[in-house]
Amino acid sequence: MDRLIISGNAKLYGSINVKGSKNSALPLMAASLLSNKDLILQNLPNLEDVNNMQRLLQAYGVIADREDSTIHLNAKKVINRIADYDVVRKMRASILILGPLLSKFGEAKISLPGGCAIGNRPIDIHIQGLRKLGATFEIENGFVIGRVKDSLVGNNIKLSFPSVGATENILMAAVLAIGKTVIINAAKEPEITDLAKCLNLMGAKINGAGTDIIEIEGVESLNKTSHKILSDRIVAGTFIIAAVMLNKNFKVCEINPKHLDSLINILKKMGANIKIKNTSIEISPSKNLKGILVKTSPYPGFPTDLQAQMMALMSIVKGNSQIKETIFENRFMHVPELNRLGANIKIIKDVAYIQGNRKFVGAQVMASDLRASVSLVLAGICAKGKTVINRVYHLDRGYEKIEKTLGNQGPKIKREKI
Ligand code: UD1
Protein backbone atom coordinates (compact mmCIF):
# COMPACT_ATOMS: atom_id res chain seq x y z
CA MET A 1 0.00 0.00 0.00
CA ASP A 2 1.31 3.47 -0.84
CA ARG A 3 1.37 6.64 1.18
CA LEU A 4 2.16 10.22 0.28
CA ILE A 5 4.58 12.45 2.15
CA ILE A 6 3.81 16.10 1.53
CA SER A 7 5.97 19.08 2.45
CA GLY A 8 3.90 22.09 3.42
CA ASN A 9 4.12 25.77 2.50
CA ALA A 10 4.32 24.73 -1.12
CA LYS A 11 5.13 26.83 -4.12
CA LEU A 12 2.92 26.61 -7.21
CA TYR A 13 3.81 27.91 -10.65
CA GLY A 14 3.16 27.42 -14.34
CA SER A 15 0.18 25.52 -15.63
CA ILE A 16 -1.49 22.13 -15.80
CA ASN A 17 -3.11 20.40 -18.77
CA VAL A 18 -6.20 18.51 -17.65
CA LYS A 19 -6.74 15.03 -19.13
CA GLY A 20 -9.93 13.16 -19.99
CA SER A 21 -12.69 12.80 -17.45
CA LYS A 22 -12.91 9.59 -15.44
CA ASN A 23 -16.67 9.94 -15.16
CA SER A 24 -16.93 10.23 -18.94
CA ALA A 25 -14.42 7.49 -19.69
CA LEU A 26 -16.20 4.82 -17.61
CA PRO A 27 -19.65 4.95 -19.30
CA LEU A 28 -17.98 5.45 -22.72
CA MET A 29 -15.95 2.27 -22.21
CA ALA A 30 -19.13 0.43 -21.11
CA ALA A 31 -20.86 1.69 -24.29
CA SER A 32 -18.44 -0.42 -26.35
CA LEU A 33 -20.57 -3.45 -25.35
CA LEU A 34 -23.40 -2.09 -27.51
CA SER A 35 -21.54 -2.55 -30.79
CA ASN A 36 -19.72 -5.24 -32.79
CA LYS A 37 -17.52 -2.57 -34.31
CA ASP A 38 -14.44 -0.78 -32.98
CA LEU A 39 -14.82 2.05 -30.52
CA ILE A 40 -11.66 4.13 -30.20
CA LEU A 41 -11.49 6.48 -27.24
CA GLN A 42 -8.81 9.17 -27.07
CA ASN A 43 -7.71 11.31 -24.13
CA LEU A 44 -8.23 8.37 -21.76
CA PRO A 45 -6.94 9.21 -18.26
CA ASN A 46 -4.47 6.80 -16.68
CA LEU A 47 -6.42 5.95 -13.52
CA GLU A 48 -7.17 2.91 -11.38
CA ASP A 49 -10.92 3.14 -12.12
CA VAL A 50 -10.17 3.10 -15.85
CA ASN A 51 -7.86 0.07 -15.36
CA ASN A 52 -10.67 -1.65 -13.44
CA MET A 53 -13.21 -0.97 -16.20
CA GLN A 54 -10.70 -2.26 -18.78
CA ARG A 55 -10.20 -5.48 -16.74
CA LEU A 56 -13.96 -5.87 -16.30
CA LEU A 57 -14.61 -5.54 -20.05
CA GLN A 58 -11.73 -7.89 -20.86
CA ALA A 59 -13.20 -10.49 -18.49
CA TYR A 60 -16.32 -10.30 -20.67
CA GLY A 61 -14.28 -10.98 -23.80
CA VAL A 62 -14.09 -7.39 -25.00
CA ILE A 63 -10.84 -6.63 -26.81
CA ALA A 64 -9.44 -3.60 -24.98
CA ASP A 65 -6.01 -2.57 -26.26
CA ARG A 66 -4.51 0.55 -24.80
CA GLU A 67 -1.64 2.63 -26.04
CA ASP A 68 -0.84 5.81 -24.12
CA SER A 69 -4.10 7.68 -23.82
CA THR A 70 -5.99 5.79 -26.56
CA ILE A 71 -8.00 2.63 -26.09
CA HIS A 72 -9.37 0.40 -28.88
CA LEU A 73 -12.44 -1.51 -27.77
CA ASN A 74 -14.24 -4.24 -29.65
CA ALA A 75 -17.06 -6.33 -28.17
CA LYS A 76 -17.83 -8.69 -31.05
CA LYS A 77 -16.71 -11.74 -29.04
CA VAL A 78 -18.32 -11.20 -25.66
CA ILE A 79 -18.36 -14.47 -23.71
CA ASN A 80 -18.95 -14.42 -20.01
CA ARG A 81 -21.79 -12.39 -18.50
CA ILE A 82 -21.13 -12.27 -14.74
CA ALA A 83 -19.56 -9.33 -12.91
CA ASP A 84 -18.28 -10.60 -9.57
CA TYR A 85 -18.37 -8.86 -6.22
CA ASP A 86 -14.59 -8.45 -6.26
CA VAL A 87 -14.77 -6.21 -9.33
CA VAL A 88 -17.95 -4.31 -8.46
CA ARG A 89 -16.91 -3.60 -4.86
CA LYS A 90 -13.77 -1.84 -6.15
CA MET A 91 -15.72 0.34 -8.52
CA ARG A 92 -19.41 1.09 -8.26
CA ALA A 93 -19.38 2.29 -11.89
CA SER A 94 -19.21 -1.42 -12.89
CA ILE A 95 -23.01 -1.20 -12.75
CA LEU A 96 -22.78 0.82 -15.99
CA ILE A 97 -22.43 -2.41 -17.99
CA LEU A 98 -25.94 -3.49 -16.90
CA GLY A 99 -27.88 -1.44 -19.49
CA PRO A 100 -25.59 -2.26 -22.46
CA LEU A 101 -25.50 -6.00 -21.63
CA LEU A 102 -29.28 -6.25 -21.34
CA SER A 103 -29.84 -4.30 -24.51
CA LYS A 104 -27.31 -6.19 -26.62
CA PHE A 105 -27.32 -9.69 -25.14
CA GLY A 106 -30.65 -9.91 -23.31
CA GLU A 107 -29.12 -10.92 -19.98
CA ALA A 108 -26.72 -9.69 -17.30
CA LYS A 109 -25.59 -10.92 -13.90
CA ILE A 110 -23.84 -8.31 -11.79
CA SER A 111 -22.93 -8.36 -8.13
CA LEU A 112 -24.87 -5.73 -6.17
CA PRO A 113 -22.56 -2.80 -5.37
CA GLY A 114 -23.64 -2.79 -1.70
CA GLY A 115 -22.68 0.00 0.69
CA CYS A 116 -19.65 2.15 0.15
CA ALA A 117 -17.67 4.76 2.01
CA ILE A 118 -19.88 7.66 0.93
CA GLY A 119 -23.29 6.28 1.71
CA ASN A 120 -25.73 3.62 0.76
CA ARG A 121 -25.80 4.27 -3.02
CA PRO A 122 -28.60 1.94 -4.14
CA ILE A 123 -29.38 1.10 -7.79
CA ASP A 124 -33.19 1.24 -7.60
CA ILE A 125 -33.46 4.09 -10.15
CA HIS A 126 -31.37 2.09 -12.68
CA ILE A 127 -33.57 -0.99 -12.16
CA GLN A 128 -36.88 0.90 -12.32
CA GLY A 129 -35.85 2.53 -15.60
CA LEU A 130 -34.64 -0.69 -17.21
CA ARG A 131 -37.86 -2.44 -16.08
CA LYS A 132 -39.85 0.19 -17.96
CA LEU A 133 -37.95 -0.86 -21.09
CA GLY A 134 -39.09 -4.46 -20.52
CA ALA A 135 -36.23 -6.05 -18.54
CA THR A 136 -37.06 -8.29 -15.57
CA PHE A 137 -34.86 -8.57 -12.49
CA GLU A 138 -34.28 -10.94 -9.60
CA ILE A 139 -31.84 -10.67 -6.74
CA GLU A 140 -30.06 -13.93 -5.96
CA ASN A 141 -27.03 -14.55 -3.72
CA GLY A 142 -26.02 -10.88 -3.81
CA PHE A 143 -26.33 -10.66 -7.59
CA VAL A 144 -28.80 -8.68 -9.63
CA ILE A 145 -29.85 -10.85 -12.55
CA GLY A 146 -31.52 -9.09 -15.46
CA ARG A 147 -33.24 -10.67 -18.45
CA VAL A 148 -34.98 -9.45 -21.57
CA LYS A 149 -37.47 -11.66 -23.40
CA ASP A 150 -37.10 -10.60 -27.01
CA SER A 151 -35.88 -7.07 -27.17
CA LEU A 152 -36.11 -3.96 -25.02
CA VAL A 153 -38.96 -1.68 -26.08
CA GLY A 154 -38.85 2.13 -25.73
CA ASN A 155 -41.01 3.84 -23.11
CA ASN A 156 -41.39 7.09 -21.14
CA ILE A 157 -39.28 6.92 -17.99
CA LYS A 158 -39.48 9.53 -15.26
CA LEU A 159 -36.56 9.34 -12.85
CA SER A 160 -37.34 9.99 -9.17
CA PHE A 161 -33.93 11.74 -8.93
CA PRO A 162 -31.58 12.82 -11.77
CA SER A 163 -29.08 10.04 -11.04
CA VAL A 164 -26.02 10.26 -13.27
CA GLY A 165 -25.42 6.51 -13.43
CA ALA A 166 -29.11 5.63 -13.94
CA THR A 167 -29.43 8.18 -16.76
CA GLU A 168 -26.35 6.66 -18.44
CA ASN A 169 -27.52 3.06 -17.99
CA ILE A 170 -31.01 3.75 -19.34
CA LEU A 171 -29.66 5.90 -22.17
CA MET A 172 -27.28 3.14 -23.30
CA ALA A 173 -29.99 0.48 -23.04
CA ALA A 174 -32.49 2.59 -25.01
CA VAL A 175 -30.09 3.06 -27.94
CA LEU A 176 -30.78 -0.48 -29.22
CA ALA A 177 -34.40 -0.74 -27.94
CA ILE A 178 -37.32 -0.91 -30.36
CA GLY A 179 -38.99 2.50 -30.79
CA LYS A 180 -38.72 5.70 -28.79
CA THR A 181 -37.61 6.21 -25.18
CA VAL A 182 -38.00 9.48 -23.30
CA ILE A 183 -36.04 9.97 -20.08
CA ILE A 184 -37.67 12.68 -17.95
CA ASN A 185 -35.79 14.34 -15.07
CA ALA A 186 -32.54 13.06 -16.60
CA ALA A 187 -29.16 14.07 -15.16
CA LYS A 188 -27.66 17.01 -17.08
CA GLU A 189 -23.97 16.52 -16.26
CA PRO A 190 -21.51 17.23 -19.13
CA GLU A 191 -20.47 13.56 -18.94
CA ILE A 192 -24.00 12.59 -20.07
CA THR A 193 -23.69 14.94 -23.04
CA ASP A 194 -20.29 13.43 -23.86
CA LEU A 195 -21.74 9.91 -23.77
CA ALA A 196 -24.65 10.91 -26.03
CA LYS A 197 -22.25 12.66 -28.42
CA CYS A 198 -20.16 9.50 -28.79
CA LEU A 199 -23.23 7.25 -29.13
CA ASN A 200 -24.60 9.55 -31.85
CA LEU A 201 -21.25 9.29 -33.67
CA MET A 202 -21.73 5.50 -33.46
CA GLY A 203 -25.11 5.90 -35.16
CA ALA A 204 -27.50 6.29 -32.22
CA LYS A 205 -30.35 8.80 -32.39
CA ILE A 206 -30.28 10.79 -29.16
CA ASN A 207 -31.67 14.29 -28.65
CA GLY A 208 -31.75 16.53 -25.61
CA ALA A 209 -28.68 15.24 -23.69
CA GLY A 210 -27.64 18.01 -21.28
CA THR A 211 -31.29 18.95 -20.64
CA ASP A 212 -33.69 17.18 -18.31
CA ILE A 213 -35.55 15.44 -21.14
CA ILE A 214 -33.59 13.04 -23.34
CA GLU A 215 -35.23 11.38 -26.34
CA ILE A 216 -33.78 8.26 -27.86
CA GLU A 217 -35.00 6.65 -31.08
CA GLY A 218 -33.80 3.02 -31.07
CA VAL A 219 -31.53 1.79 -33.89
CA GLU A 220 -30.64 -1.77 -34.94
CA SER A 221 -26.88 -1.59 -34.64
CA LEU A 222 -23.99 0.78 -34.14
CA ASN A 223 -20.95 1.61 -36.25
CA LYS A 224 -17.24 2.05 -35.76
CA THR A 225 -16.22 5.40 -34.32
CA SER A 226 -13.50 7.38 -32.64
CA HIS A 227 -14.18 9.92 -29.90
CA LYS A 228 -12.08 12.28 -27.76
CA ILE A 229 -13.11 12.12 -24.11
CA LEU A 230 -14.19 15.38 -22.50
CA SER A 231 -11.69 16.92 -20.06
CA ASP A 232 -12.13 16.27 -16.34
CA ARG A 233 -13.95 19.21 -14.73
CA ILE A 234 -13.45 17.79 -11.22
CA VAL A 235 -9.68 17.44 -11.61
CA ALA A 236 -9.65 20.97 -13.12
CA GLY A 237 -11.71 22.28 -10.18
CA THR A 238 -9.34 20.61 -7.72
CA PHE A 239 -6.30 22.34 -9.25
CA ILE A 240 -8.13 25.68 -9.32
CA ILE A 241 -8.94 25.35 -5.60
CA ALA A 242 -5.29 24.38 -4.93
CA ALA A 243 -4.11 27.60 -6.63
CA VAL A 244 -6.60 29.72 -4.66
CA MET A 245 -5.49 28.06 -1.40
CA LEU A 246 -1.80 28.64 -2.11
CA ASN A 247 -2.66 32.16 -3.38
CA LYS A 248 -0.40 31.90 -6.41
CA ASN A 249 -0.46 32.68 -10.15
CA PHE A 250 -1.49 29.50 -11.92
CA LYS A 251 -3.20 28.37 -15.11
CA VAL A 252 -5.45 25.34 -15.60
CA CYS A 253 -5.56 24.45 -19.31
CA GLU A 254 -7.38 22.20 -21.79
CA ILE A 255 -10.73 22.53 -20.11
CA ASN A 256 -14.21 23.79 -20.89
CA PRO A 257 -14.62 26.67 -18.36
CA LYS A 258 -18.41 26.58 -18.81
CA HIS A 259 -18.49 23.23 -17.02
CA LEU A 260 -17.00 24.94 -13.97
CA ASP A 261 -19.45 27.86 -13.77
CA SER A 262 -20.82 26.99 -10.32
CA LEU A 263 -17.31 26.66 -8.81
CA ILE A 264 -16.04 29.86 -10.46
CA ASN A 265 -19.07 31.84 -9.26
CA ILE A 266 -18.52 30.70 -5.69
CA LEU A 267 -14.77 31.36 -5.80
CA LYS A 268 -15.34 34.84 -7.22
CA LYS A 269 -17.85 35.60 -4.45
CA MET A 270 -15.22 34.45 -1.96
CA GLY A 271 -12.87 37.07 -3.44
CA ALA A 272 -10.66 34.94 -5.70
CA ASN A 273 -9.02 36.52 -8.77
CA ILE A 274 -10.02 34.35 -11.70
CA LYS A 275 -9.83 35.01 -15.44
CA ILE A 276 -11.74 32.84 -17.86
CA LYS A 277 -10.26 32.15 -21.29
CA ASN A 278 -11.63 29.92 -24.08
CA THR A 279 -10.08 26.68 -22.89
CA SER A 280 -8.31 27.69 -19.69
CA ILE A 281 -8.71 29.46 -16.37
CA GLU A 282 -6.09 31.73 -14.79
CA ILE A 283 -5.87 32.23 -11.06
CA SER A 284 -3.92 35.09 -9.47
CA PRO A 285 -3.34 36.01 -5.82
CA SER A 286 -6.01 37.79 -3.76
CA LYS A 287 -5.83 39.46 -0.34
CA ASN A 288 -9.54 39.29 0.39
CA LEU A 289 -10.67 35.68 0.51
CA LYS A 290 -13.70 35.21 2.76
CA GLY A 291 -16.19 32.51 3.77
CA ILE A 292 -19.43 31.63 2.00
CA LEU A 293 -22.44 29.28 2.04
CA VAL A 294 -22.48 26.44 -0.50
CA LYS A 295 -25.01 23.73 -1.28
CA THR A 296 -24.11 20.75 -3.45
CA SER A 297 -26.67 19.84 -6.09
CA PRO A 298 -26.93 18.07 -9.46
CA TYR A 299 -25.34 19.84 -12.45
CA PRO A 300 -25.34 22.79 -13.12
CA GLY A 301 -25.27 23.15 -9.31
CA PHE A 302 -22.13 22.92 -7.17
CA PRO A 303 -20.66 19.40 -7.62
CA THR A 304 -20.53 17.09 -4.63
CA ASP A 305 -17.19 15.89 -6.07
CA LEU A 306 -15.64 19.29 -5.20
CA GLN A 307 -17.20 19.57 -1.75
CA ALA A 308 -14.23 18.17 0.23
CA GLN A 309 -11.70 20.33 -1.63
CA MET A 310 -13.88 23.43 -1.06
CA MET A 311 -14.00 22.65 2.65
CA ALA A 312 -10.19 22.64 2.83
CA LEU A 313 -10.19 26.12 1.22
CA MET A 314 -12.97 27.42 3.49
CA SER A 315 -10.89 26.49 6.54
CA ILE A 316 -8.14 28.97 5.72
CA VAL A 317 -10.08 32.02 4.47
CA LYS A 318 -11.42 34.85 6.66
CA GLY A 319 -14.80 34.25 8.29
CA ASN A 320 -16.99 31.22 8.61
CA SER A 321 -18.56 29.05 5.92
CA GLN A 322 -21.16 26.33 5.57
CA ILE A 323 -21.62 23.47 3.13
CA LYS A 324 -24.90 21.60 2.81
CA GLU A 325 -24.43 18.20 1.14
CA THR A 326 -27.60 17.18 -0.68
CA ILE A 327 -26.36 14.38 -2.98
CA PHE A 328 -24.79 11.79 -0.68
CA GLU A 329 -25.83 11.14 2.90
CA ASN A 330 -22.41 10.30 4.30
CA ARG A 331 -19.93 12.41 2.44
CA PHE A 332 -18.16 14.11 5.32
CA MET A 333 -15.54 11.42 5.97
CA HIS A 334 -12.76 13.95 5.36
CA VAL A 335 -13.92 16.18 8.23
CA PRO A 336 -12.15 14.39 11.12
CA GLU A 337 -8.98 14.19 9.01
CA LEU A 338 -9.09 17.90 8.04
CA ASN A 339 -9.65 18.64 11.74
CA ARG A 340 -6.52 16.60 12.57
CA LEU A 341 -4.64 18.96 10.24
CA GLY A 342 -5.92 22.01 12.14
CA ALA A 343 -9.37 22.75 10.68
CA ASN A 344 -12.35 23.38 12.93
CA ILE A 345 -15.36 21.83 11.22
CA LYS A 346 -18.52 20.62 12.90
CA ILE A 347 -21.24 18.57 11.26
CA ILE A 348 -24.91 18.79 12.11
CA LYS A 349 -26.96 16.44 9.95
CA ASP A 350 -26.17 17.31 6.30
CA VAL A 351 -24.49 20.65 7.01
CA ALA A 352 -20.80 21.22 7.73
CA TYR A 353 -19.99 24.41 9.69
CA ILE A 354 -16.46 25.53 8.86
CA GLN A 355 -14.61 28.02 11.00
CA GLY A 356 -12.31 30.18 8.91
CA ASN A 357 -8.88 31.67 9.61
CA ARG A 358 -7.37 28.34 10.59
CA LYS A 359 -3.81 27.31 9.80
CA PHE A 360 -3.13 23.76 8.66
CA VAL A 361 -0.31 21.97 10.46
CA GLY A 362 1.12 18.71 9.06
CA ALA A 363 0.07 15.39 10.63
CA GLN A 364 -0.58 11.73 9.78
CA VAL A 365 -4.00 11.27 8.16
CA MET A 366 -6.01 8.51 6.52
CA ALA A 367 -7.69 8.81 3.10
CA SER A 368 -11.27 7.51 3.14
CA ASP A 369 -12.65 8.08 -0.34
CA LEU A 370 -11.51 9.59 -3.60
CA ARG A 371 -12.39 13.28 -3.15
CA ALA A 372 -11.73 13.15 0.61
CA SER A 373 -8.17 12.05 -0.19
CA VAL A 374 -7.47 14.98 -2.46
CA SER A 375 -8.82 17.47 0.09
CA LEU A 376 -6.09 16.19 2.42
CA VAL A 377 -3.48 16.73 -0.30
CA LEU A 378 -4.68 20.35 -0.65
CA ALA A 379 -4.53 20.88 3.11
CA GLY A 380 -1.10 19.20 3.18
CA ILE A 381 0.49 21.47 0.56
CA CYS A 382 -0.73 24.54 2.50
CA ALA A 383 0.22 23.18 5.93
CA LYS A 384 3.17 24.05 8.09
CA GLY A 385 5.43 20.99 8.21
CA LYS A 386 5.02 17.46 6.91
CA THR A 387 1.74 15.64 6.17
CA VAL A 388 1.57 11.89 5.64
CA ILE A 389 -1.48 10.56 3.82
CA ASN A 390 -2.07 6.85 4.25
CA ARG A 391 -4.21 4.59 2.03
CA VAL A 392 -3.79 6.65 -1.12
CA TYR A 393 -5.23 4.00 -3.44
CA HIS A 394 -8.49 5.97 -3.30
CA LEU A 395 -6.64 8.95 -4.77
CA ASP A 396 -5.20 6.87 -7.63
CA ARG A 397 -8.75 5.98 -8.70
CA GLY A 398 -9.35 9.57 -9.82
CA TYR A 399 -6.08 11.55 -9.97
CA GLU A 400 -3.24 10.64 -12.30
CA LYS A 401 0.00 10.39 -10.23
CA ILE A 402 -0.71 13.50 -8.21
CA GLU A 403 2.88 13.51 -6.90
CA LYS A 404 3.91 14.25 -10.52
CA THR A 405 0.99 16.26 -11.98
CA LEU A 406 0.90 18.64 -9.03
CA GLY A 407 4.47 17.89 -7.89
CA ASN A 408 5.96 19.14 -11.20
CA GLN A 409 4.44 22.55 -10.55
CA GLY A 410 6.06 23.22 -7.17
CA PRO A 411 4.55 21.16 -4.33
CA LYS A 412 6.90 18.51 -2.90
CA ILE A 413 4.95 15.26 -2.81
CA LYS A 414 6.72 11.92 -2.41
CA ARG A 415 5.14 8.47 -2.79
CA GLU A 416 6.35 5.70 -0.48
CA LYS A 417 5.54 2.00 -0.58
CA ILE A 418 4.87 0.49 2.85
C1 UD1 B 1 -21.71 9.83 -10.35
C2 UD1 B 1 -20.23 10.09 -10.35
C3 UD1 B 1 -19.76 10.54 -8.97
C4 UD1 B 1 -20.58 11.74 -8.49
C5 UD1 B 1 -22.08 11.44 -8.59
C6 UD1 B 1 -22.93 12.65 -8.27
C7 UD1 B 1 -19.45 8.53 -12.01
C8 UD1 B 1 -18.69 7.29 -12.33
N1 UD1 B 1 -19.54 8.87 -10.73
O1 UD1 B 1 -21.94 8.75 -9.45
O2 UD1 B 1 -18.38 10.91 -9.07
O3 UD1 B 1 -20.26 11.99 -7.13
O4 UD1 B 1 -22.41 11.02 -9.93
O5 UD1 B 1 -22.62 13.71 -9.08
O6 UD1 B 1 -19.93 9.22 -12.91
N2 UD1 B 1 -29.19 6.99 -6.03
C9 UD1 B 1 -30.26 6.21 -5.63
N3 UD1 B 1 -30.68 5.20 -6.43
C10 UD1 B 1 -30.08 4.94 -7.63
C11 UD1 B 1 -28.99 5.73 -8.05
C12 UD1 B 1 -28.55 6.76 -7.22
O7 UD1 B 1 -30.83 6.44 -4.56
O8 UD1 B 1 -30.50 3.99 -8.33
C13 UD1 B 1 -28.73 8.09 -5.15
C14 UD1 B 1 -27.30 7.84 -4.66
O9 UD1 B 1 -27.29 7.00 -3.54
C15 UD1 B 1 -26.81 9.23 -4.38
C16 UD1 B 1 -27.52 10.07 -5.44
O10 UD1 B 1 -28.62 9.28 -5.90
O11 UD1 B 1 -27.25 9.63 -3.11
C17 UD1 B 1 -26.64 10.44 -6.62
O12 UD1 B 1 -26.17 9.28 -7.25
P1 UD1 B 1 -25.82 9.22 -8.79
O13 UD1 B 1 -26.13 10.50 -9.46
O14 UD1 B 1 -26.39 7.96 -9.36
O15 UD1 B 1 -24.24 9.05 -8.72
P2 UD1 B 1 -23.34 7.98 -9.45
O16 UD1 B 1 -23.78 7.79 -10.86
O17 UD1 B 1 -23.16 6.79 -8.59
Side-chain angles (χ1 to χ4, degrees):
M1 217 186 295
D2 294 1
R3 63 181 189 181
L4 292 180
I5 322 284
I6 302 177
S7 308
N9 281 328
K11 293 186 180 128
L12 185 72
Y13 42 75
S15 63
I16 268 179
N17 293 335
V18 178
K19 298 265 183 70
S21 151
K22 164 181 91 70
N23 289 354
S24 250
L26 299 176
L28 283 167
M29 290 170 79
S32 67
L33 286 164
L34 289 166
S35 169
N36 288 335
K37 304 283 170 57
D38 287 355
L39 172 62
I40 300 164
L41 298 174
Q42 294 146 358
N43 202 23
L44 189 78
N46 187 9
L47 301 170
E48 255 326 289
D49 270 8
V50 168
N51 298 341
N52 277 328
M53 184 57 95
Q54 182 178 1
R55 282 193 278 268
L56 176 63
L57 292 173
Q58 281 169 332
Y60 274 74
V62 176
I63 298 166
D65 295 332
R66 204 155 139 193
E67 217 187 312
D68 301 326
S69 57
T70 300
I71 190 162
H72 290 243
L73 298 154
N74 187 298
K76 68 179 172 220
K77 288 190 183 148
V78 164
I79 32 165
N80 149 10
R81 285 168 210 154
I82 301 179
D84 283 325
Y85 182 64
D86 253 10
V87 187
V88 180
R89 120 189 119 76
K90 276 195 206 127
M91 185 184 57
R92 185 187 144 83
S94 310
I95 201 68
L96 292 174
I97 63 173
L98 183 62
L101 285 177
L102 284 173
S103 193
K104 181 81 184 306
F105 305 101
E107 59 175 330
K109 184 172 176 184
I110 299 177
S111 172
L112 281 169
C116 88
I118 57 170
N120 205 11
R121 297 185 101 171
I123 55 162
D124 54 318
I125 307 173
H126 301 237
I127 300 290
Q128 277 158 20
L130 295 169
R131 270 202 180 118
K132 281 257 187 178
L133 295 178
T136 55
F137 291 95
E138 330 165 36
I139 306 287
E140 217 175 74
N141 304 329
F143 281 87
V144 52
I145 304 168
R147 291 192 182 88
V148 180
K149 213 160 169 216
D150 297 313
S151 177
L152 292 174
V153 179
N155 204 342
N156 287 354
I157 301 167
K158 185 165 184 203
L159 307 187
S160 55
F161 177 85
S163 152
V164 175
T167 303
E168 291 165 345
N169 241 332
I170 299 163
L171 173 64
M172 288 191 277
V175 159
L176 296 182
I178 295 171
K180 184 172 172 178
T181 299
V182 182
I183 310 175
I184 302 151
N185 197 25
K188 300 192 280 264
E189 271 66 4
E191 294 75 23
I192 308 270
T193 315
D194 201 35
L195 174 63
K197 186 176 162 193
C198 177
L199 287 167
N200 280 342
L201 282 173
M202 291 163 85
K205 292 188 176 153
I206 304 166
N207 273 309
T211 73
D212 44 23
I213 299 184
I214 306 180
E215 297 184 347
I216 307 117
E217 198 65 60
V219 295
E220 264 182 28
S221 62
L222 297 173
N223 304 318
K224 176 176 172 172
T225 205
S226 169
H227 172 78
K228 183 177 176 199
I229 300 170
L230 168 91
S231 97
D232 196 315
R233 65 194 164 99
I234 304 301
V235 169
T238 304
F239 291 144
I240 292 168
I241 295 174
V244 176
M245 286 179 77
L246 289 169
N247 219 10
K248 297 283 193 294
N249 285 303
F250 195 61
K251 194 169 169 187
V252 178
C253 305
E254 295 185 12
I255 57 171
N256 183 340
K258 268 219 124 327
H259 296 160
L260 288 154
D261 269 357
S262 60
L263 172 70
I264 301 306
N265 287 338
I266 296 282
L267 289 174
K268 281 189 170 166
K269 280 188 193 151
M270 290 175 85
N273 273 327
I274 293 181
K275 259 197 216 138
I276 316 276
K277 300 280 164 80
N278 271 350
T279 57
S280 63
I281 288 179
E282 288 175 18
I283 304 98
S284 38
S286 160
K287 284 197 184 112
N288 302 309
L289 291 167
K290 57 176 193 300
I292 198 166
L293 308 187
V294 170
K295 185 174 90 171
T296 65
S297 41
Y299 189 84
F302 188 88
T304 175
D305 285 352
L306 287 174
Q307 179 252 102
Q309 300 88 313
M310 187 49 117
M311 210 178 278
L313 166 64
M314 286 167 161
S315 296
I316 57 169
V317 301
K318 281 185 207 131
N320 298 337
S321 298
Q322 286 177 27
I323 302 187
K324 185 175 168 74
E325 171 60 59
T326 74
I327 308 290
F328 292 109
E329 78 271 27
N330 189 19
R331 205 174 203 182
F332 286 137
M333 311 270 287
H334 42 285
V335 168
E337 302 305 296
L338 286 174
N339 283 346
R340 279 175 69 78
L341 291 171
N344 184 355
I345 306 167
K346 292 194 174 60
I347 299 163
I348 302 177
K349 292 191 182 152
D350 56 357
V351 180
Y353 297 83
I354 304 116
Q355 194 190 94
N357 259 329
R358 307 291 296 181
K359 302 250 182 292
F360 287 122
V361 181
Q364 288 254 0
V365 286
M366 188 69 82
S368 55
D369 73 55
L370 170 50
R371 307 300 167 187
S373 317
V374 84
S375 75
L376 302 177
V377 173
L378 299 190
I381 57 178
C382 295
K384 184 171 171 227
K386 188 172 85 176
T387 296
V388 180
I389 305 184
N390 295 295
R391 252 189 1 205
V392 291
Y393 60 85
H394 287 293
L395 192 71
D396 297 335
R397 288 184 38 223
Y399 292 87
E400 236 180 84
K401 292 205 180 73
I402 200 144
E403 68 277 17
K404 293 219 168 99
T405 47
L406 200 53
N408 287 346
Q409 307 312 129
K412 289 192 183 127
I413 307 175
K414 205 170 76 189
R415 183 179 290 258
E416 254 183 30
K417 298 231 173 278
I418 46 169

